[in-house]
């Protein structure tokens, strides 16, 4: 199994090495990087490239590790016992399997995405240590140990909102997706817009990276926002003659709301342009 990117996902050599190293070491791959750099999408493309089933577990602030294993619906069982219209002795009927359990049950190795793990409580990663390390867990209601038939490829994303425990980090292979340089970004744009005129791409990238170079921005525009912006430029029929390099721009770029997401950054860029 070797991942080299796909026709829809440009993977740098460093990222491909990280994915393949994690697979070989049979360790979870912990991915960090700026929002919009393709961390979540990576799991989808790894599954597609390796022709494997994908299970996605999107973590929220209220998510617990137990939910990834299973949830026992004791309330429904109690209600059914009172109504007497169901065999409440079948405990399996009241167990909802979590994403880890589903990934453990597949007839072939699957890809398991644990997305934005840093949104949950600080103890969340530690609560998954044994399950991700030994690839098994115990279901007390069924008095049964659930073991993975095949070790899944585990991809974990983090936006660095909080520090992850050292014990958890030791069990992962880590990779930080650095923001694409101009050459890599051009490859990414080519994937999404293969017919984009070269002159328009050059102007759009100049404006985009010029905005990112403004040091006082609270939130720099990301890859996904660049893709949205270029899509709007194409729909509106904007040409390279309508764009100028940021150094010479006296007005803000068109459709700035696709790139900047708060009023402070929009006002800052407008003020900088007004000085020219």
């Amino acid at each position: 199994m070797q991942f080299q990117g796909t026709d829809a996902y440009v993977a740098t050599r460093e990222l491909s090495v990280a994915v393949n190293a994690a697979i070989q070491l049979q360790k979870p791959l912990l991915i960090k990087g700026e929002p919009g750099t393709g961390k979540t999408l990576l799991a989808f493309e790894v599954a597609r490239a390796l022709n494997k089933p994908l299970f996605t577990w999107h973590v929220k602030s209220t998510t617990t590790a137990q939910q990834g294993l299973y949830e026992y619906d004791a309330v429904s069982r109690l209600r059914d016992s009172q109504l007497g219209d169901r065999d409440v002795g079948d405990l399996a009927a009241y167990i909802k399997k979590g994403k880890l359990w589903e990934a453990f049950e597949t007839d072939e190795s699957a890809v398991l995405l644990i997305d934005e793990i840093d949104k949950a409580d600080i103890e969340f990663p530690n609560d998954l240590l044994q399950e991700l390390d030994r690839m098994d867990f115990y279901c007390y209601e069924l008095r049964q140990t659930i073991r993975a038939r095949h070790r899944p490829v585990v991809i974990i994303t983090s936006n660095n909102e909080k520090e992850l425990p050292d014990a958890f980090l030791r069990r992962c292979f880590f990779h930080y997706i650095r923001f694409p340089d101009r050459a890599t970004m051009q490859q990414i744009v080519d994937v999404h817009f293969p017919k984009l005129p070269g002159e328009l791409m050059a102007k759009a990238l100049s404006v985009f990276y010029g905005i990112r170079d403004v040091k006082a921005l609270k939130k720099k525009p990301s890859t996904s926002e660049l893709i949205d912006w270029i899509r709007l430029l194409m729909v509106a029929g904007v040409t390279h003659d309508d764009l100028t390099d940021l150094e010479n721009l006296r007005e803000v770029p068109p459709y700035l709301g696709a790139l900047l997401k708060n009023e402070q950054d929009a006002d800052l860029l407008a003020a900088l342009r007004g000085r020219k």
Side-chain angles (χ1 to χ4, degrees), residues 5 10-11 28-30 37 44 51 75 104 107 110 115 133 148 169 173 184 217 220 244 258 269 271 276:
V10 176
L29 174 62
L30 176 60
T37 50
F44 288 82
N51 194 27
V75 175
F104 284 3
D107 293 330
D115 196 30
D133 197 19
L169 294 175
F173 189 95
T184 303
L217 287 183
K220 296 180 183 294
T244 57
L269 192 63
K276 292 187 178 293

Side-chain angles (χ1 to χ4, degrees), residues 116 118-119 158-163:
E116 297 187 332
D118 53 326
K119 279 188 174 181
S158 169
N159 285 325
N160 239 359
E161 292 184 6
K162 60 172 67 81
E163 290 294 327

Side-chain angles (χ1 to χ4, degrees), residues 7 10 183-198 201 227 230:
D7 57 353
V10 176
T184 303
M185 187 65 81
Q186 184 166 332
Q187 296 179 45
I188 295 172
V189 174
D190 278 337
V191 166
H192 292 272
F193 307 105
K195 297 182 180 180
L196 182 68
M201 178 185 289
I227 299 303
I230 292 178

